[in-house]
């Protein structure tokens, strides 16, 4: 994969691709809703507290966190994605933890 890989303090691996208006974040050990907010803030170039639209106005953060969590028997959920828009961006969250945020034109 092209791009830079950085280890953040929270254990997440963040990869910026060479494609414009695209950002990929792999969440490791944090809630998916938190990873989405942090990735979005980074792409939008703002502090997470200054995004302007709370995530819960766009998608239920608890539902997002639970959507791809392990099944009751502890086995991982396989496949699936959710796509939503926030401000002028499209956010795609894959079941395996990939978050892609691209600016809408």
């Amino acid at each position: 994969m092209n791009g830079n890989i950085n280890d953040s303090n929270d254990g997440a691996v963040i990869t910026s691709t060479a494609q414009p208006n695209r950002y990929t974040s792999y969440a490791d050990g944090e809630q998916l809703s938190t990873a989405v907010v942090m990735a979005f803030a980074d792409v939008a170039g703002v502090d997470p507290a200054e995004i302007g639209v709370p995530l819960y106005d766009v998608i239920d953060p608890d539902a997002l966190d639970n959507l791809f969590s392990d099944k009751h028997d502890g086995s991982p959920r396989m496949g699936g994605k959710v796509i939503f828009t926030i401000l002028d961006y499209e956010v795609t969250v894959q079941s395996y933890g990939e978050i892609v945020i691209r600016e809408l034109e």
Side-chain angles (χ1 to χ4, degrees), residues 33-51:
S33 58
T34 301
V36 167
V37 169
M38 299 306 287
F40 180 80
D42 190 47
V43 169
V46 299
D47 184 88
E50 298 174 358
I51 290 175

Side-chain angles (χ1 to χ4, degrees), residues 25-82:
S25 173
Y26 297 89
D28 181 24
E30 68 181 324
Q31 291 187 325
L32 187 53
S33 58
T34 301
V36 167
V37 169
M38 299 306 287
F40 180 80
D42 190 47
V43 169
V46 299
D47 184 88
E50 298 174 358
I51 290 175
V53 175
L55 186 61
Y56 60 78
D57 279 356
V58 179
I59 192 168
D60 182 334
D62 292 330
L64 182 61
D65 291 338
N66 292 322
L67 184 62
F68 302 127
S69 64
D70 289 344
K71 297 178 186 178
H72 291 290
D73 66 1
S75 63
R77 296 192 189 274
M78 303 302 289
K81 66 181 174 183
V82 63

